[in-house]
Amino acid sequence: QVQLVESGGGLVQPGGSLRLSCAASGSIFSIDSMGWYRQAPGKQRELVADITSGGVTKYADSVKGRFTISRDNAKNTVYLQMNSLNSEDTAVYYCNVGVFGVAGWRRHWGQGTQVTVSS
């Protein structure tokens, strides 16, 4: 059993910053890539950023230069530092983590955390 616990969402004014965290726990032998997705009302879930086990990162064009993904392998945690937020960043943010556990390789989703950018 693997659990992902997200934290750090909330309400922020345009131009502000937030830092999301997602910690994986449970029966984990190793972790592959870790990523953040988001889903705004009426829209499909989209990839925001991804980081491999080796630290290679990938970003959606809409967040390049504003968001930074990082990971702490000792803590099985992935972070998303979000700066210069605007209203288009309003969405539920989900972490997605590839885990090798007792059931083999599986990808797991966090429960989601709401990010609202509004004045």
Side-chain angles (χ1 to χ4, degrees):
Q1 193 83 6
V2 174
Q3 299 83 37
L4 300 182
V5 177
E6 301 180 22
S7 60
L11 174 64
V12 63
Q13 291 187 341
S17 298
L18 283 174
R19 188 191 194 210
L20 305 183
S21 300
C22 172
S25 63
S27 301
I28 298 172
F29 298 151
S30 64
I31 292 181
D32 188 25
S33 65
M34 309 177 84
W36 288 95
Y37 289 72
R38 67 186 180 187
Q39 187 166 20
K43 294 187 177 182
Q44 289 188 331
R45 191 173 297 189
E46 62 175 0
L47 175 68
V48 176
D50 183 81
I51 183 167
T52 69
S53 57
V56 177
T57 58
K58 178 173 61 180
Y59 296 93
D61 288 342
S62 59
V63 307
K64 283 180 181 177
R66 300 189 298 121
F67 290 11
T68 302
I69 189 170
S70 60
R71 61 191 284 170
D72 185 333
N73 292 328
K75 296 181 179 179
N76 290 340
T77 299
V78 61
Y79 306 96
L80 186 68
Q81 177 67 43
M82 304 185 294
N83 299 329
S84 302
L85 286 161
N86 59 61
S87 59
E88 294 184 351
D89 297 315
T90 295
V92 179
Y93 284 70
Y94 300 89
C95 63
N96 180 270
V97 177
V99 173
F100 183 68
V102 293
W105 280 106
R106 290 187 59 189
R107 296 208 67 87
H108 298 266
W109 289 96
Q111 80 281 7
T113 185
Q114 177 70 47
V115 171
T116 302
V117 184
S118 176
S119 56

